[in-house]
Amino acid sequence: MTDSINVREIVLDMLLEVTREQKPSHVVHRQMLEKYQYLEKQERSFLSRLFKGTLERLITLDYVIGCFSTVKPAKLKPVIKTILRLSFYQLMYMPHVPASAICNEAVRLAGKRGFKNLKGFVNGVLRNAARSLNNVRWPDRSREPLLYLSVMYSAPEWLVKLWSESYGFSVAEKMLADSLCEKPVTVRCVHEDQVPQIRQILEAEGVTVTPGSLVNYALKLSGFDHLSGLKSFRDGLYTVQDESSMMVVEMAGLKAGDTVIDVCAAPGGKSCHAAGRLMALAGPDGACGHVFARDLTAAKTRLIEQNRRRLGLTNLTVQVKDACIPDPEDFGRAQVVFADLPCSGLGVIGKKPDIKYRMDMEQIKALAALQREILTATQKAVAPGGTLIYSTCTVNPAENIENARWFAENFDFVMEEERQFIPGTDLCDGFFIARFTRRPKP
């Protein structure tokens, strides 16, 4: 790399943005890729690996730092703690990086950031660790199972307890292990009948392509620098979307001419999927139906609009609306309503690891209550005999099946199907989908 010291300093700032300023990790990462496009591919790859890897394993790293530091991680200055975290990640998970370089550059970073008096401390901790990492005593799996999972897979103990009680220890461990695995980017081919051609175009651009696992118009991509650098992406041949999310439209059973309302739509993956599917279903008269994609703020709806334009969807209208407030003009209007609702996001911690450090059980209870409020308002828009799809990107019964059963018990709907996708078991994100049908009027 041309300037490894600067690359590590960039990662330091990125990590502080997430841990100290509470910025979403995927936003920080995307902005970094855009800002430092001039760096060589190898440098950006190192930067991404160090940022994402360190963030994924904060609890593990703090445990090991605590084995070598006389000051526990919780008492360290944020800058010094972050320098140690990214340095320990390199020592533990990037064996091709020389330990001497890791130590030297950590010391230089500490001095550059105004902590010259702590350079000796940083140097001593790292050089001791470099000699003795193999001597770390890890929690015992049989005697302290929850602590073991927490430390080994860098997950807070409340989350380990929740998943262990809900799904069993072995499934919980699979989910946690899966959250640390590097995965290809999953995309949905916009023209579902042109998957072979799109695959050929991608491969000609140097992208490694494998087929999806759940639907035949999904592809998994790896080996590229960044998506926006691919002409095929700019041309709107595909869009980033996990297969579990694609299953929402699959389970909806869309028909030509349907009116669809998506109440919490940003960034618009399902709305665009539905609009494209309706266009493909259009009959000789050209009536293809219409999708109304809504979200709470203009900032969110701008994301939907960007996707709508890139994909050329003329049957998609983007609107700013509060899903908690019923609109009388919507009552009985839609054949299909998508309610992909705010949730804890525990099914996507493999892509957004900061979620697991920010979420807690109190927030989850509040989100489950918010889901019920939105479902109560949203169900009014479903026409008799119409469909409501309730979905979340989490793996937590209180937000998923318990709310789905509550909805079926309290409104004039029948739950026709439910699916809980489990990361590490199913080859997709953790995701829940329930399909309801409104009973026809007598």
Side-chain angles (χ1 to χ4, degrees):
M1 287 181 290
T2 59
D3 194 349
S4 57
I5 296 175
N6 285 341
V7 168
R8 286 174 173 83
E9 188 167 12
I10 292 168
V11 174
L12 171 63
D13 287 331
M14 292 169 65
L15 290 168
L16 288 170
E17 281 189 80
V18 175
T19 58
R20 190 166 62 181
E21 300 175 30
Q22 300 295 297
K23 292 184 179 180
S25 62
H26 65 288
V27 173
V28 171
H29 188 231
R30 183 182 70 243
Q31 291 173 343
M32 174 276 295
L33 289 176
E34 293 171 353
K35 182 176 180 180
Y36 296 103
Q37 289 186 39
Y38 62 85
L39 293 175
E40 295 294 329
K41 179 179 178 180
Q42 181 184 2
E43 291 176 309
R44 285 199 304 277
S45 177
F46 178 87
L47 196 154
S48 294
R49 166 82 185 277
L50 184 54
F51 169 66
K52 295 169 71 176
T54 302
L55 195 57
E56 285 174 344
R57 297 184 183 268
L58 291 184
I59 292 173
T60 307
L61 295 171
D62 285 354
Y63 179 87
V64 180
I65 291 170
C67 296
F68 295 98
S69 171
T70 54
V71 181
K72 295 305 176 187
K75 299 291 186 181
L76 291 170
K77 300 285 188 183
V79 171
I80 296 300
K81 178 164 63 175
T82 305
I83 290 172
L84 287 176
R85 282 170 164 177
L86 65 89
S87 300
F88 268 78
Y89 181 82
Q90 293 169 82
L91 287 173
M92 295 170 65
Y93 302 106
M94 302 178 76
H96 62 284
V97 182
S100 58
I102 296 169
C103 296
N104 291 339
E105 293 178 15
V107 170
R108 292 181 66 179
L109 259 183
K112 188 174 181 180
R113 289 307 178 93
F115 294 95
K116 292 182 179 179
N117 60 321
L118 293 177
K119 289 169 63 175
F121 168 77
V122 170
N123 185 59
V125 170
L126 287 173
R127 293 197 181 278
N128 187 18
R131 292 190 298 267
S132 307
L133 273 177
N134 291 336
N135 298 328
V136 171
R137 294 184 62 180
W138 299 97
D140 186 87
R141 180 189 178 96
S142 57
R143 290 202 302 261
E144 303 174 292
L146 296 186
L147 180 62
Y148 170 84
L149 291 182
S150 174
V151 170
M152 299 305 293
Y153 298 104
S154 190
E157 286 197 53
W158 69 262
L159 176 56
V160 171
K161 184 173 185 289
L162 173 66
W163 280 357
S164 295
E165 291 176 350
S166 300
Y167 304 103
F169 183 91
S170 62
V171 173
E173 185 168 21
K174 283 183 180 179
M175 287 195 281
L176 292 166
D178 182 78
S179 73
L180 299 177
C181 292
E182 187 174 356
K183 301 179 184 67
V185 173
T186 304
V187 300
R188 174 179 60 82
C189 295
V190 172
H191 301 288
E192 297 176 11
D193 58 347
Q194 296 180 14
V195 175
Q197 297 94 315
I198 294 172
R199 179 169 183 166
Q200 286 181 348
I201 292 169
L202 280 161
E203 289 174 341
E205 292 178 299
V207 180
T208 301
V209 186
T210 55
S213 307
L214 299 175
V215 297
N216 58 14
Y217 49 84
L219 295 173
K220 298 182 178 182
L221 316 182
S222 59
F224 59 92
D225 193 356
H226 53 94
L227 274 181
S228 60
L230 299 175
K231 184 176 183 297
S232 55
F233 176 78
R234 298 194 300 272
D235 288 345
L237 299 183
Y238 50 85
T239 188
V240 176
Q241 190 174 357
D242 192 74
E243 286 188 87
S244 57
S245 175
M246 298 180 207
M247 289 300 298
V248 169
V249 171
E250 286 297 315
M251 288 175 60
L254 295 175
K255 301 180 294 298
D258 276 352
T259 294
V260 178
I261 295 176
D262 189 351
V263 297
C264 298
K270 300 170 194 66
S271 298
C272 291
H273 189 184
R277 178 67 62 86
L278 288 175
M279 291 177 73
L281 291 171
D285 61 355
C288 64
H290 202 89
V291 177
F292 296 89
R294 301 167 175 174
D295 220 305
L296 185 60
T297 66
K300 289 187 174 184
T301 55
R302 274 196 295 272
L303 298 174
I304 310 172
E305 182 63 27
Q306 288 169 7
N307 280 318
R308 185 198 71 78
R309 289 180 180 176
R310 187 175 65 84
L311 301 176
L313 297 166
T314 57
N315 63 332
L316 174 58
T317 299
V318 182
Q319 301 171 316
V320 177
K321 283 199 174 187
D322 186 342
C324 292
I325 302 174
D327 185 345
E329 292 185 4
D330 288 337
F331 291 0
R333 176 186 185 187
Q335 283 73 50
V336 176
V337 170
F338 293 136
D340 185 52
L341 301 185
C343 69
S344 58
L346 300 179
V348 295
I349 59 174
K351 296 175 180 175
K352 302 176 182 179
D354 46 313
I355 289 174
K356 62 186 176 182
Y357 308 123
R358 293 179 183 165
M359 191 56 55
D360 58 41
M361 289 306 299
E362 288 303 311
Q363 291 181 74
I364 287 177
K365 290 176 183 177
L367 286 164
L370 175 61
Q371 290 173 16
R372 294 189 179 194
E373 183 180 356
I374 295 175
L375 286 170
T376 299
T378 298
Q379 57 86 24
K380 297 176 184 291
V382 183
T387 298
L388 183 143
I389 301 288
Y390 162 50
S391 59
T392 70
C393 59
T394 193
V395 188
N396 172 30
E399 297 174 87
N400 294 339
I401 188 58
E402 291 177 19
N403 268 355
R405 288 175 179 160
W406 167 85
F407 182 74
E409 291 168 0
N410 286 276
F411 297 94
D412 198 24
F413 285 81
V414 176
M415 185 163 66
E416 305 282 2
E417 185 180 5
E418 61 173 326
R419 296 192 67 172
Q420 174 71 71
F421 295 98
I422 301 291
T425 299
D426 302 303
L427 299 177
C428 60
D429 288 341
F431 211 86
F432 176 81
I433 309 173
R435 176 169 59 86
F436 298 90
T437 299
R438 169 159 251 144
R439 291 185 176 91
K441 291 183 179 179

